Amino acid sequence: MEETALGLWGVPLAILAGAIRVSTPFIFVSLGETLTERSGRINLGLEGTLVFGAMSAYAVAVLTQSAWLGVLAAMCAGAVFGLLHGFICKFPKVNDIAIGIAMMQFGLGLAFFLGKPFIQPVAPKLPSIPLGNWSSLPQVQAALTINVLFIVGLILTFAIAWMLKNTRIGLILRVVGDSSDAARAMGINPNTVRLLATAAGGALAAIGGAYLSLFYPGSWNERISSGQGLMAVALVIFARWNPKGCLFASLLFGGAGALGPALQSVGVTQGYYLFYAAPYVLTLIILIMTSSPTTRLSGAPEELSLTK
Amino acid sequence: MTGTTSAKALSLETVGMTMRFGSFTALDDVSIKVKAGSFHALLGENGAGKSTLVKCIMGFYRQTGGQLMVEDREVSVASPKDAAALGLGMVYQHFTLVPSLTGAENLVISRNDVPGVISWKAEREALDAFIQTMPFRIPLDRPVRELAAGEKQKLEIIRQLYLGRRFLILDEPTSVLTPAEADDMLGLVRGMTERGDLSVLMISHKFHEVMKFADAVSVLRRGKHIGSGSTSELNPHDMAAMMIGDVKLAELDSRLPIKSEARTVLELKGLRAKDRSGLKTIEVEGLGIKAGEIVGIAGISGNGQKELAETLAGQRKAETGEILVEAKPYQATRQQSRQFRVRFIPEEPLQNACAPKMSVMENLSLRSFDIGQSGKPRFFLDRAAMRRQADALIAAFKVKTASPSSPIASLSGGNVQRAVLARELTGDVDLLIVSNPCFGLDFSAVAEIRARIMKARNSGTAVLLFSEDLDELLEMSDRILVMSDGRLVYETPARGADISIIGSHMAGHG
C-alpha cells in the first residue's frame, strides 16, 4: 500500500491537508458573519446562504462552463439574501435571530427546489495551485495542492482586520456595532450600515458555498453543507469577533475534522467514527474553557442582541 | 484642522421658545439669553422642560413656536447636523463615546470629513498638536471603556472643541464624577469661557457647583421661564424656591440616638468577591451595622459598591468570607430574607427589582404572594388580598398610577421608586439595603423617600445606604464609609465629616 510509505506521519499530514481543505468555507462564512456581527446584528441564516451559494455557483458553472462566474453568481445571490435579512430587520420589533432562522430554512428550501436539475451534470472545478511538486510522495503533493479560494480567504482575513482599524468604513462599522446612539449622533444611520454589512456577510458566506460545490467535495447535492454555516457562526463567538481569530478557529476546526478520515486511512478501523465528532467536541470544550459565569464576553459588539 | 482655529465663543438666545406635544405644553414661551463667553446654568426640576429646551436648540425637536438666535442672527436648526454646522455642541449626561474604540479613534470618526483610508501617523500628529492647546491631557491610545469617568467626560468636551463647537450644552456633567474631578473639570471649562473660547449652558441640580462656576442662572418650572439672574445676586435658597414653587416638602424625622445596647444586625467578615470584569476583587475586611443606624457607603460608581450590594442580595457569589445577619450565616435565600426580615432596594429599581410589564399590584406583592395568612406556602394566589394590599400601599406611599393593574413600567421614575419602597418597607424590617434611592428624582420625591428611610431607621431598622450623592449620605447617615477600588478605605461619623477628605479617599488618594 502506498500509505505505508509515510506510516503514522500520514496523520499530521492529513490533518494539515484537512485543515486547509475543510477550513476554507468556514473562513469565508465566519469572516462574513464577523462583518455582520461587528455591525451589531446576527445573521443566523448563513447556513441557508451557504447552501444557496453552493447551488447557484454550481448551476452557473454548469451553464457557463466557468467556475469563476459560478463564484460571482453565488456572491450576488448571497448579497441578495443578506439584503433581504437586513431589510426585514430594519423594522421595529423584528428579531434578527428569528429572521435568521427563517432565512436559513428559506435558503435551504429554495436551493433544493432550484437545484434539482443540477445534481447530475458535472461543473468545472475551481483551480488550485500545486505547492507540493518538490516532493515525490503523492500524499504530500495532494496535501499541498491548495485551492485559490483558500489563499483569497487568507488575504481577506488580513484585509478585513486592517480595514476595521484603518479605514472610515471599518471605524463606522465598529461604532454602529458598539452604540447605535453614538452612530446616530454622528449622523450615521445604523440600519443602512447593518444592511450593507449583512449583504457583505451574505456574499462572503456564499463564496464558502461555492467552494463546497466547485472544489471540495466538488458536487452539488442536498446534504452538501451539513450545518457548516451554523458552526461558522459559533466560530465567530469563539474567535471573539476578530478576523484573525476566525482564521485560526477555522483552521483548528478543519484540522479536527480531518482527524477521523486520517485515522481511518492509516488503518485504525475501530472507533474512528468518534473522531468525526472531534470538531464539535473541541468547539464545546474551548467554549466552556474560555467562558465565565460572572464576566461578560470580551470583544462582543455591545449592540448585539446576543449580549444584551 | 478644525480644532486649531482660534474660533470665538458664540452667544445664543431663545426668543419665546414654545414646544407642544399634542395638548401638552412642555415649553411655554421661554426666552433665555446666553452671552458669548459666559457660563450659564439652567436649573429646574425633572419635567420642568430643561431637556426639551436643549433638544430644541440642538435640533432634535422642531419647536412649535419661537426663534433661536445665534450671534444675534435668527437661525433655523432642523437637525443635530444643522446645530453642529452652527458650532453648537452638547455633552450628554451619559457618555456617547464608543467604548471599544480608543480616544483617538473616537475623535477622528466623529469628524465629518473622515478620509476613506485613515493615516494614523498623520492623524496622531494632528491630534497631539491639538491636545497641546488644551488645558488637560487625556490618554488617547486606550479604549475609552478603560478610562475613568472624569477622563471620559473631559474627552467628551475635548471632542466638542476638536469638532470646532464654540457653544456647549453640558447636561448634568458631574453626575458621574467625584467632587474633586467635578471641580477640576468645571474649573477648566470655566477657564475656557473666561478666555472667550467657549460659551456654556449647563444643566445642573447641584447648587454649590452653580454658585461656584456659573456667571448666570435661568430657572424653568413646568415649562415656564421663572427667572434669570446673575449668581452674585442669587443664593441657593432663592434658586430652590424658584425651582419648586410653593410645594411643601416632607421633613426628615429628627434622628433618634442609637441605643448603646443595640444589637449588630449585619456583619461582614473578610468578604471577597470578583467584580463584573472578573479581573478585580472586592474585599471587605469587616463591617457591622447596628439596629437603628444608617451606614452610608460613598464612592465613585464602579468602585465595587454595586458588586458589594449584589453579594449581599445573593446575586453575586462570595469567594470567601462570611455574611452574618443576626449572628447567623446568611445566604440571601427567599426563606432567610423573610426569616431575618431583610429588604433590598437596588439602584434602577424598574430593571433590578420589578417585573416591568407586570402590574403595579403584582409587583407590590412580589414579597408576599406565595405565603398565606397563616405563613404557610400557598399554591393558588389570593388576588383579592393582593388587590387590598396594593390599594393600601398605593395610598400610604402616594404612588401615582392610573390603576393598580397598569404595568409598573408605565409609572414615572419617582413613582416606581415609591412603589418599590412601599413593598420593601411593608411590615417589620430589620435590615434594609438601599442603593442610590433618589437618583434622578425630583425634590418632593427625594424628600419623601429620605423621610421614609429615616423613619425606618428610627423604628430600629439597620440601614446600609449606597449612594453616589455625597450630600445625601451626609444628610442621612450616622457613619460614612468610603469605598475605593473594591475596598472600604475610610470611615468617619457623618456629623462633622470633611467633604474634601472623603473626596480624596473616593479618588483613591487616601
Side-chain angles (χ1 to χ4, degrees), chain A:
Chain A
M1 281 219 299
E2 278 292 322
E3 279 88 354
T4 49
L6 273 170
L8 283 178
W9 282 107
V11 176
L13 188 66
I15 290 176
L16 175 73
I20 292 171
R21 203 167 47 223
V22 181
S23 66
T24 308
F26 288 115
I27 294 174
F28 279 99
V29 181
S30 58
L31 285 179
E33 184 68 7
T34 299
L35 282 183
T36 308
E37 292 196 13
R38 269 300 182 82
S39 80
R41 195 173 272 161
I42 290 179
N43 183 1
L44 273 188
L46 289 190
E47 169 75 3
T49 312
L50 180 87
V51 172
F52 194 86
M55 189 283 296
S56 47
Y58 199 78
V60 170
V62 166
L63 295 174
T64 64
Q65 287 302 306
S66 161
W68 289 112
L69 279 179
V71 174
L72 192 68
M75 284 179 74
C76 294
V80 169
F81 270 87
L83 284 173
L84 186 60
H85 182 278
F87 174 73
I88 300 173
C89 287
K90 181 183 79 172
F91 297 106
K93 295 184 186 174
V94 169
N95 179 288
D96 51 353
I97 293 178
I99 295 300
I101 293 171
M103 289 294 296
M104 172 163 68
Q105 293 304 325
F106 176 62
L108 290 174
L110 203 63
F112 298 164
F113 174 71
L114 295 174
K116 279 272 187 282
F118 297 100
I119 293 177
Q120 286 298 331
V122 177
K125 284 208 172 191
L126 284 166
S128 42
I129 304 168
L131 292 176
N133 280 347
W134 49 270
S135 170
S136 58
L137 290 169
Q139 292 96 330
V140 175
Q141 288 181 6
L144 292 181
T145 299
I146 291 174
N147 188 270
V148 176
L149 279 185
F150 176 75
I151 295 164
V152 172
L154 279 185
I155 296 169
L156 200 61
T157 302
F158 291 94
I160 291 179
W162 179 83
M163 182 202 83
L164 286 173
K165 195 167 160 34
N166 289 296
T167 65
R168 179 177 63 210
I169 296 174
L171 278 193
I172 287 179
L173 196 70
R174 287 163 61 199
V175 169
V176 170
D178 243 22
S179 165
S180 297
D181 289 337
R184 274 191 215 98
M186 289 174 201
I188 302 168
N189 181 349
N191 276 324
T192 312
V193 175
R194 289 186 185 135
L195 180 77
L196 297 176
T198 316
L204 288 185
I207 298 179
Y211 177 91
L212 288 178
S213 63
L214 294 178
F215 185 71
Y216 179 82
S219 65
W220 160 246
N221 64 66
E222 295 180 355
R223 283 176 305 283
I224 192 165
S225 154
S226 62
Q228 295 183 21
L230 275 176
M231 282 313 296
V233 175
L235 288 187
V236 174
I237 300 173
F238 165 45
R240 299 288 185 265
W241 296 271
N242 176 349
K244 290 174 197 162
C246 287
L247 177 65
F248 170 73
S250 302
L251 286 172
L252 193 71
F253 200 75
L259 195 59
L263 286 175
Q264 196 183 1
S265 72
V266 295
V268 177
T269 50
Q270 281 193 328
Y272 61 83
Y273 271 108
L274 264 179
F275 288 98
Y276 279 97
Y280 307 100
V281 175
L282 194 69
T283 308
L284 268 181
I285 291 174
I286 292 175
L287 279 179
I288 292 169
M289 275 169 48
T290 54
S291 68
S292 151
T294 49
T295 56
R296 281 174 55 96
L297 229 45
S298 63
E302 309 261 327
E303 285 289 324
L304 223 50
S305 50
L306 193 77
T307 56
K308 269 184 183 167

Side-chain angles (χ1 to χ4, degrees), chain B residues 57-75:
Chain B
I57 295 175
M58 292 304 296
F60 288 99
Y61 295 153
R62 197 67 209 264
Q63 72 267 24
T64 359
Q67 290 107 42
L68 181 65
M69 320 266 279
V70 173
E71 292 287 282
D72 299 322
R73 265 198 306 255
E74 189 182 341
V75 292

Side-chain angles (χ1 to χ4, degrees), chain A residues 162 164-169 171-172 174-175 178-179 181-188 294-296 299-300 302, chain B residues 81 96-101 105-106 108-110 112 114-118 120 145 159 275-278 316:
Chain A
W162 179 83
L164 286 173
K165 195 167 160 34
N166 289 296
T167 65
R168 179 177 63 210
I169 296 174
L171 278 193
I172 287 179
R174 287 163 61 199
V175 169
D178 243 22
S179 165
D181 289 337
R184 274 191 215 98
M186 289 174 201
I188 302 168
T294 49
T295 56
R296 281 174 55 96
E302 309 261 327
Chain B
K81 257 187 181 159
T96 56
L97 296 165
V98 183
S100 68
L101 267 57
E105 286 175 329
N106 263 296
V108 169
I109 194 62
S110 53
N112 275 332
V114 191
V117 173
I118 297 160
W120 279 113
R145 73 157 61 86
R159 178 168 66 167
D275 81 340
R276 259 163 297 168
S277 66
R316 179 173 292 276

